[in-house]
Each structure stands twice: as C-alpha cells, then as structure tokens.
Amino acid sequence: MTTLGDDYRRNGFASPIRVLDAESARAHRARMEDAERQIGPVHYQDKMHLILTSTWELATHPLVLDAVEAVIGPNILLYNSMYVIKEPHSSAKVNWHQDLTYWGLSDDDAQVTAWLALSPATVESGCMQMVQASHLDGRADHITPEQRSADDVLDFGQYIDDVDLDAARTVPLDVGEMSLHHGWTVHSSMPNRSDDRRIGFNAQYLAPHCRQTVHEHGTATLVRGVDEYSHFDTETPATTDLDPAAIERQQAAHRMIVDTYRSVNAR
C-alpha cells in the first residue's frame, strides 16, 4: 500500500488530501473576502499569515502539517502564505513553470507547496495541471518574454516551452481538499470559465536546514518540531486581523520576496 509520501516522491505531487469540510472551507473563504473588502485585493500577496488569523489557522492546521511532515520531515518552517484567485470568466492563466526557479533556496527537496481549495478547483474553473515525475529532472530552462502578457499571472511571464503533455495530469480539488507539490514539478493552470471565483490558499513549507541564498536573512515561522539552524529571522503571526503594524511588516516581507524573485531572475 502506497503512502502520501510515496506518491509525492514518485509523482512530484500528492492529491487530493481532505483537510476541511465544506462548511469550514466556506467560512475561511468568507473571512478572506471580508479582508478584501477592507484592504483591497489579496491575490498573490505574500506572508498573509502575518495579518489574518484565518490564514494562520489554515497554515498551521494539523492535517496540513501532517501531510507536510510526510514529505519533508517533522521539523517544519512556514516560509510563505498567500491566496491565488481567479475571477469568474477571467482570462488569467498560469503557463507551464517550476516554482523553485526564482526562490533562491539552498535545498531543492527541503521545500513543499500546499494548495488548499476554498472554492471548487475544477477543469472549468482552471484547476492545476501537473507533469508527472517532472521533479526528478531538476530545473528546466524557462523563457522570459520581453513583454509579459496581461493574462499571465506569473511575475515575469516565464514559461517552459518543451513540456511532456502526455505526462500531464489535471489536479481537481473539491472545497476543503488540498494538493502538495514539489518545487521542480512542472505545472500550469488555465483560465476560469466558471461562474464562481477560483480561490486557493497557497503555502510553502521548508525543513529548517534549508536557507535563503539571496538575502542573508529571510523570514519564516516554526510551525512544528524544532529549528536547530536559525537561518531565518522570526515572524509574529496574526493574533488579530489587519493590525496596522502587522500590515507594515507584511508589506515589507512581501517586498523582500519580490526582490528575491527579481534578483534570481537577473542572474
């Protein structure tokens, strides 16, 4: 009998993993959308666990951490958290790419991304597609166009041109289900053709021996086990929603991550 960890190591992803019932997932969606009404769009805003208690609760949910532990071990840092949102009938898409390309991390296998559906992630709404076992090939060459398409969600419009589509698998998720994927797993998603928003909670986790190679100290939060390395500065997770001082810290952390992407892209 194969385990979640076996599936992940063989395929580069594991899915679906039930974390929340539908009612709980909808409640977290409502809390996120209430924040949007107060501060504006939260799509692709980094370190949201610093300003929203709902984000922190999702990032530290025991079932999420159990799944992460099966992949990277018992000592876990939360490196980032964000929401990935496609509006209904939007042309927004994500081209074939690998997450680790611009992250500047020291150990490829010490990182895992969790993607939790707060609304249905179906083929119609533009769920992720992943290329099976592509993580085993390491980094692929990415093309960065001179001008990024307005429909492309990625920061630089980067894409992989030569993709084994025969190995591609759609990864639909029901509300409250989660997938895990490796940073070298080639993946993409198509536009949302449905009548509802496609809302995903996205979090990246690291084993503590992993470090940031661009900035001397990034930030991260220990969420399980112990950190014997102290490669990252500590953070203060949200205890109330949208505290002004916390928003300032979150924006500074967001700028540091964006700067990391740009620095690695310029190499």
Side-chain angles (χ1 to χ4, degrees), residues 188-202:
S188 69
S189 65
M190 297 304 290
N192 180 4
R193 305 300 187 192
S194 76
D195 296 330
D196 190 15
R197 308 177 85 191
R198 194 212 67 166
I199 303 172
F201 165 72
N202 182 281

Side-chain angles (χ1 to χ4, degrees), residues 54-126:
S54 173
T55 314
W56 176 242
E57 290 166 19
L58 291 173
T60 58
H61 192 289
L63 293 180
V64 173
L65 297 183
D66 287 348
V68 170
E69 180 173 342
V71 170
I72 64 171
N75 303 317
I76 303 171
L77 297 175
L78 173 62
Y79 179 61
N80 199 7
S81 64
M82 65 173 64
Y83 296 93
V84 182
I85 302 169
K86 291 182 184 176
E87 300 299 339
H89 303 287
S90 164
S91 60
K93 64 179 181 178
V94 182
N95 286 321
W96 293 107
H97 71 286
Q98 295 168 306
D99 290 340
L100 276 176
T101 307
Y102 300 118
W103 286 1
L105 298 176
S106 65
D107 184 343
D108 300 344
D109 293 323
Q111 176 274 336
V112 62
T113 293
W115 204 102
L116 173 62
L118 299 183
S119 67
T122 63
V123 172
E124 183 184 22
S125 69

Side-chain angles (χ1 to χ4, degrees), residues 200-267:
F201 165 72
N202 182 281
Q204 286 87 44
Y205 299 90
L206 306 176
H209 70 268
C210 187
R211 60 184 176 82
Q212 172 59 247
T213 64
V214 176
H215 294 286
E216 184 177 356
H217 286 286
T219 64
T221 302
L222 184 69
V223 290
R224 181 172 283 186
V226 297
D227 177 6
E228 297 178 342
Y229 298 87
S230 300
H231 289 318
F232 294 89
D233 290 338
T234 58
E235 300 173 329
T236 303
T239 55
T240 61
D241 289 334
L242 303 178
D243 174 77
I247 290 175
E248 288 186 12
R249 292 193 296 271
Q250 179 265 326
Q251 287 295 300
H254 170 76
R255 289 191 295 270
M256 180 178 286
I257 288 179
V258 172
D259 181 63
T260 298
Y261 297 165
R262 289 174 177 160
S263 297
V264 177
N265 184 53
R267 289 178 178 175

